[in-house]
Amino acid sequence: MEGPAAVPVLQREGEVADEEMLRVFNCGIGMAVVVRAEDADSAERVLTGRGETVFRIGRIEPRKPGEPQLQLV
């Protein structure tokens, strides 16, 4: 077993919480490139100039004590 079919097995057998699975795995988005906010436009130009399709999917923010590591909004 390999690829996406292995993910539910890993979660079940490892007794991994949903939140941890979302934190660890990319949830099927493919390759992710993380850049500083001020570099996002430039990075998008470079990637699209090389034939890639770009989707901006999130941002990184500091969290307050007690907040979850991952927040889906």
Side-chain angles (χ1 to χ4, degrees):
M1 174 183 348
E2 60 184 63
V7 174
V9 174
L10 291 172
Q11 183 177 18
R12 183 181 66 247
E13 296 300 318
E15 298 179 6
V16 181
D18 289 340
E19 295 80 16
E20 182 69 0
M21 294 296 289
L22 290 170
R23 190 183 74 75
V24 172
F25 292 98
N26 74 11
C27 301
I29 61 168
M31 181 175 65
V33 177
V34 179
V35 298
R36 297 181 312 178
E38 57 266 26
D39 296 330
D41 290 335
S42 176
E44 184 171 352
R45 279 193 301 277
V46 169
L47 291 165
T48 56
R50 287 173 172 72
E52 297 295 335
T53 301
V54 174
F55 298 96
R56 295 188 188 197
I57 60 170
R59 63 183 181 271
I60 298 173
E61 296 181 351
R63 66 184 169 106
K64 297 178 181 90
E67 286 185 332
Q69 289 184 352
L70 175 68
Q71 295 185 31
L72 300 175
V73 292

